[in-house]
Amino acid sequence: MQSSINRHGLPPDPDELIAEGDPPFADAAEQTAGEKADESLHALQHEVRLLNARIGVLREDAEAALKAKAVSVDASAHVQLGDYPWLKLAAAIGTTFIAARLVRRLALGVLLAGFVSHIQEVRRQ
């Protein structure tokens, strides 16, 4: 610390009286460990709140992207299949399922005979 009178005979500037690391007033106590811990806790709580807000924004963005993708898929289906695309798609799947059941019930010999006769006709032409 400096003396109370500077070299010009005037009282010194209060900022000059405070040496680096000294408390600004004689009765000012240094920060206790509990106060430091409280400050650290408040800083961490603030960071957690910020992270929660960022996660919320990311969730909203993901939901919006999924909704946009669903709308895009639905519009694409309407373009390709016209009105009632899901009904037409279900009918096609059902027809395929029934055809597969019928083919399984046919004897393998009948299928091979039909296939062989088809090949012979193709060779003749």
Side-chain angles (χ1 to χ4, degrees), residues 31-124:
Q31 205 175 24
T32 64
E35 290 171 343
K36 288 179 182 178
D38 285 342
E39 278 185 22
S40 177
L41 176 65
H42 290 300
L44 287 174
Q45 288 173 340
H46 180 69
E47 287 183 32
V48 167
R49 284 192 299 273
L50 289 175
L51 288 174
N52 282 334
R54 289 179 185 162
I55 289 171
V57 168
L58 289 174
R59 278 191 187 130
E60 290 173 2
D61 288 348
E63 287 175 8
L66 287 175
K67 286 178 184 176
K69 183 67 175 172
V71 168
S72 171
V73 167
D74 189 49
S76 175
H78 280 286
V79 168
Q80 293 176 7
L81 300 172
D83 292 332
Y84 305 107
W86 305 114
L87 179 62
K88 291 178 181 178
L89 188 59
I93 291 171
T95 303
T96 305
F97 177 77
I98 292 170
R101 288 287 180 146
L102 291 174
V103 168
R104 284 184 187 168
R105 288 189 180 172
L106 291 176
L108 185 59
V110 173
L111 287 175
L112 288 177
F115 184 66
V116 169
S117 66
H118 177 70
I119 290 176
Q120 288 173 353
E121 288 182 25
V122 170
R123 282 187 182 172
R124 288 181 192 159

Side-chain angles (χ1 to χ4, degrees), residues 4-12:
S4 60
I5 304 279
N6 65 14
R7 61 187 160 138
H8 302 291
L10 299 172

